[in-house]
Amino acid sequence: MEYILLVIGFVLLIKGADYFVEGASNIAVKLNVSPLLVGLTIVALGTSSPEATVAILAALDGSPGVVLGNVIGSNIVNITVVVGLTAMIAPLTVQSETVRKEIPFAMLAAVVLMILMADVALQGAGANIINRGDGIIILLFFSVFLYYVFEMARKNRSSAVEKVDADAGESWLKNILFTIGGLIAIIIGGEMVVSSATEIALALGMSEALVGLTIVAIGTSLPEIMTSVTAALKGKGDMAIGNVVGSNIFNIFFVTGTASTVAPIAAESKLFFDGWVMVALTVLLLIFSRTHFKIGRKEGAVLLIAYIIYLVYIIMRN
């Protein structure tokens, strides 16, 4: 039964991502908003919803420790697997705004998380805890990011060079239904894949820690993988890279911020290594993006190899 649910989950993810990208892209055209902006907001929030669901439910269930492993693991998967796989399929062109502002903002998010986690090292506390006060600080950073995005949207629309017909393409209702329906399929499919894969893994003797860092992290990143690959295949590379950068920012600022205000999050000491890997990979993404404002197949291969090395290490560690 678990294997059947796994297959159904993948089908929902694939078809959901296809409809979601189609609907969101058409809405962007009608509103005269760039695909990058849609990727940073609607698509990023949509594909981060599995992480948010897992994190908030874990906090409510009294298991907030799952949150950080899921967020850090998912961000690592987003940079290495999502960008790497998408670039291998279709090289990604990166806009200068993304290189100068959005990726550095994702790097800031990663560093802020590492600082707030380090209570023992920085304050001499008995344990590393992200408390409700830290959660509010994280959500304030998130509000600054949202303000930046809305300002960018306003300027994007007012200074748009290419005006489009608002009635072009499919109807408003059809595009909204595609977007919402695709998002619902992504969330349900992601939940089915994670739960069934976790059951299978535990039955095969894997530890819960290893399942959290691998299967749950990869599973909750499947919407990003499916959506970004679909966007790249449709020639919407801006939306693909915007999805990854936006999702990483949402994961740290929205998911961690919300979950830690629900219940304080304990940070295991071994997660610091994974956290610094996340920071290093964000820096690598920035370097790759700045080189030729393009992430090609070679860079994609490097990112995928980096994840394989990381995966081997955490399997050995656990």
Side-chain angles (χ1 to χ4, degrees), residues 141-195:
F141 273 104
F142 181 61
S143 66
V144 172
F145 172 69
L146 287 182
Y147 174 78
Y148 160 73
V149 167
F150 289 133
E151 277 296 300
M152 191 170 75
R154 188 178 60 81
K155 290 177 182 176
N156 180 270
R157 292 192 69 188
S158 62
S159 64
V161 176
E162 187 180 350
K163 298 294 179 183
V164 296
D165 181 5
D167 296 322
E170 305 291 348
S171 70
W172 273 102
L173 179 61
K174 187 171 183 179
N175 287 321
I176 290 169
L177 289 175
F178 267 33
T179 305
I180 295 173
L183 177 56
I184 291 170
I186 286 170
I187 294 169
I188 295 172
E191 175 61 29
M192 289 176 70
V193 168
V194 170
S195 58

Side-chain angles (χ1 to χ4, degrees), residues 124-317:
N128 294 308
I129 304 286
I130 298 180
N131 56 36
R132 288 186 174 89
D134 295 332
I136 292 169
I137 291 170
I138 293 171
L139 288 175
L140 287 173
F141 273 104
F142 181 61
S143 66
V144 172
F145 172 69
L146 287 182
Y147 174 78
Y148 160 73
V149 167
F150 289 133
E151 277 296 300
M152 191 170 75
R154 188 178 60 81
K155 290 177 182 176
N156 180 270
R157 292 192 69 188
S158 62
S159 64
V161 176
E162 187 180 350
K163 298 294 179 183
V164 296
D165 181 5
D167 296 322
E170 305 291 348
S171 70
W172 273 102
L173 179 61
K174 187 171 183 179
N175 287 321
I176 290 169
L177 289 175
F178 267 33
T179 305
I180 295 173
L183 177 56
I184 291 170
I186 286 170
I187 294 169
I188 295 172
E191 175 61 29
M192 289 176 70
V193 168
V194 170
S195 58
S196 56
T198 302
E199 288 294 324
I200 293 167
L202 291 174
L204 294 173
M206 293 173 67
S207 69
E208 286 189 10
L210 185 57
V211 170
L213 281 165
T214 54
I215 293 171
V216 175
I218 294 171
T220 53
S221 289
L222 281 174
E224 282 92 342
I225 295 171
M226 299 302 178
T227 305
S228 293
V229 168
T230 305
L233 289 173
K234 290 176 180 288
K236 299 178 175 69
D238 281 356
M239 185 180 288
I241 195 72
N243 176 26
V244 169
V245 176
S247 290
N248 279 18
I249 295 169
F250 270 80
N251 284 348
I252 292 175
F253 286 154
F254 176 67
V255 176
T256 308
T258 305
S260 57
T261 53
V262 172
I265 300 171
E268 294 182 37
S269 57
K270 65 182 177 182
L271 278 176
F272 280 89
F273 173 81
D274 304 288
W276 287 118
V277 168
M278 174 181 65
V279 173
L281 287 170
T282 308
V283 173
L284 184 63
L285 179 65
L286 180 62
I287 292 169
F288 282 168
S289 301
R290 284 181 64 89
T291 308
H292 301 292
F293 290 93
K294 188 177 181 180
I295 299 175
R297 290 186 171 88
K298 288 182 181 178
E299 290 86 354
V302 169
L303 291 171
L304 285 172
I305 291 168
Y307 184 71
I308 292 169
I309 293 169
Y310 168 73
L311 190 62
V312 170
Y313 168 77
I314 60 172
I315 289 173
M316 292 174 64
R317 183 182 72 185

Side-chain angles (χ1 to χ4, degrees), residues 85-94 232 237 294-299:
L85 189 62
T86 308
M88 292 285 284
I89 293 170
L92 299 170
T93 300
V94 186
K294 188 177 181 180
I295 299 175
R297 290 186 171 88
K298 288 182 181 178
E299 290 86 354

